[in-house]
Amino acid sequence: MRYTVNAAAAGAILLAWIAPAGAQAPPGVIDWTGPYVGLNVGPEWSRLPGRVSAGGSGTGLANPNGANVTGGGQAGYNYQLNNFVLGVEGDIRGGGPSNRTSLPGGAGSIPAGTTFNSSSDWNASLRGRVGYAWNQFLFYGTGGIAFANANVDANYGGGGGHASNSTTLMGPTYGGGVEYAVTPNVSVGGEYRYTDYGHDTVHLGSVATGAGTTAPATGRIGLQDNTLLLKVNYRFGAAPPPPPPEMPVAAPAPAPAAAPRVFIVFFDWDKDTITPQGMQIVQQAADAYRSGAPVQIQVTGYTDRSGSAAYNQRLSERRANNVARALAGLGVPRQQMAVSGRGENDNRVPTAAGVREPQNRRVEITAP
């Protein structure tokens, strides 16, 4: 097993990155949309088969199977639509397999005492990703095209000299993994991939075949591997659009002391994701619930009048359920909540059909 400088450095940086983030897990819903960069490290079980031939005969390369540690970095972009996440990712890693066991002896035209070595120093891939987001987890499958270099060198016996060559292999890669959002920007995860980089033939000079003649030597080299990676990603959150001037950050309805307490969580257009300002209101509602006697609270979602009535009904229910999950994460028992959606009904600001009114995109938390 070969441990490279790249793999060791990637592992050290991963641990340093994970440690301070572990105590910052946020409540609520994670939006995976946006670009990200990260590091990876893990074990790789490889097969590096090959054969060297000259004058119509040849011999196989020694020890085609091996294990090593690989590490490097990745970058990509995700787009989330409801719970589904589509993305593209590219990565590059060092620390590939190396068959350093020599193969003495000769075979046919290959001189006795010849030794061969084969290795791969780096690999890279470009892949698509399809995933499903659940709470702070992202489960995904991935597949695409991968590249790796392959090197072969020969020290020919009997004073035949030395020859070496390399090539770039290309083939399919596919697998899957899971990510967990430690913070809104940092995620950790594990990924498995299988890759078959294919085969290629390289020229390895000429060897003496006897009677003063020579024959060209060639090496055929391939690579397949199974990789298990620990990954850490930093996601760059796109800045949200500035809210309309008339949209309040927090708008508890005025009421006398004995009236029900109402907390309003506002949403962006056509979104069911709770904004940071909205999470502040959810926190206030949870604090208010915990400070009084146990009562049943009403969690009701609404939309503006853009879009169809059926779509708006479903959107209002998703908003209400996301707020209820956030309240439950802050200690409000789910059985103490009555959760419902009212779609585009009961507008806070009456409008005509098709109008995108910010104050109508809301969830109201009402406690007696």
Side-chain angles (χ1 to χ4, degrees):
M1 179 180 294
R2 182 176 61 168
Y3 294 86
T4 67
V5 173
N6 287 343
I13 296 173
L14 280 174
L15 292 176
W17 201 350
I18 294 171
Q24 305 176 33
V29 179
I30 297 297
D31 185 357
W32 295 89
T33 297
Y36 62 89
V37 296
L39 300 173
N40 62 73
V41 66
E44 182 179 64
W45 295 269
S46 303
R47 178 171 173 79
L48 194 67
R51 183 174 180 81
V52 176
S53 303
S57 62
T59 184
L61 298 178
N63 298 332
N65 301 310
N68 57 279
V69 172
T70 182
Q74 67 271 347
Y77 185 88
N78 287 326
Y79 177 74
Q80 182 169 349
L81 181 63
N82 296 327
N83 290 93
F84 295 96
V85 178
L86 303 177
V88 62
E89 182 178 286
D91 68 353
I92 185 166
R93 292 180 281 116
S98 176
N99 296 336
R100 296 302 182 185
T101 301
S102 300
L103 180 68
S109 298
I110 299 176
T114 296
T115 59
F116 301 115
N117 296 307
S118 60
S119 64
S120 178
D121 301 316
W122 61 264
N123 62 73
S125 71
L126 181 63
R127 295 166 284 106
R129 302 205 314 170
V130 179
Y132 184 83
W134 177 74
N135 290 340
Q136 291 166 237
F137 290 91
L138 173 62
F139 303 91
Y140 64 89
T142 184
I145 193 74
F147 309 86
N149 81 318
N151 313 299
V152 184
D153 64 81
N155 290 295
Y156 296 116
H162 172 265
S164 64
N165 209 338
S166 63
T167 186
T168 299
L169 305 176
M170 180 177 67
T173 182
Y174 50 88
V178 59
E179 286 188 57
Y180 176 78
V182 182
T183 75
N185 296 102
V186 177
S187 63
V188 298
E191 179 179 288
Y192 164 78
R193 289 216 315 268
Y194 172 76
T195 308
D196 185 347
Y197 297 93
H199 292 77
D200 198 9
T201 299
V202 297
H203 295 286
L204 293 173
S206 299
V207 297
T209 60
T213 63
T214 61
T218 59
R220 182 167 175 80
I221 187 72
L223 176 60
Q224 303 97 37
D225 64 39
N226 294 271
T227 308
L228 188 62
L229 294 174
L230 170 65
K231 305 176 75 172
V232 174
N233 287 323
Y234 182 86
R235 189 168 52 259
F236 299 93
E246 69 274 12
M247 182 176 180
V249 174
R261 292 167 295 176
V262 179
F263 301 86
I264 303 179
V265 180
F266 292 98
F267 289 78
D268 294 330
W269 180 78
D270 197 31
K271 298 289 187 180
D272 59 14
T273 302
I274 303 173
T275 66
Q277 295 91 343
M279 280 304 301
Q280 296 176 13
I281 303 303
V282 173
Q283 181 72 60
Q284 294 174 18
D287 292 342
Y289 173 85
R290 291 195 300 267
S291 66
V295 294
Q296 185 179 64
I297 62 177
Q298 307 289 325
V299 181
T300 310
Y302 302 90
T303 70
D304 59 27
R305 300 195 64 190
S306 61
S308 69
Y311 179 87
N312 286 337
Q313 178 62 34
R314 294 191 297 271
L315 178 58
S316 71
E317 292 170 358
R318 293 199 303 272
R319 288 172 174 170
N321 282 319
N322 283 346
V323 169
R325 280 194 291 270
L327 283 168
L330 294 170
V332 180
R334 186 61 183 253
Q335 62 268 25
Q336 293 297 109
M337 293 182 250
V339 184
S340 62
R342 292 282 294 151
E344 61 187 46
N345 298 302
D346 304 329
N347 290 160
R348 195 164 189 263
V349 177
T351 68
V355 175
R356 301 180 181 181
E357 171 53 47
Q359 295 198 44
N360 293 336
R361 304 192 293 265
R362 71 199 191 279
V363 167
E364 294 184 358
I365 307 169
T366 306

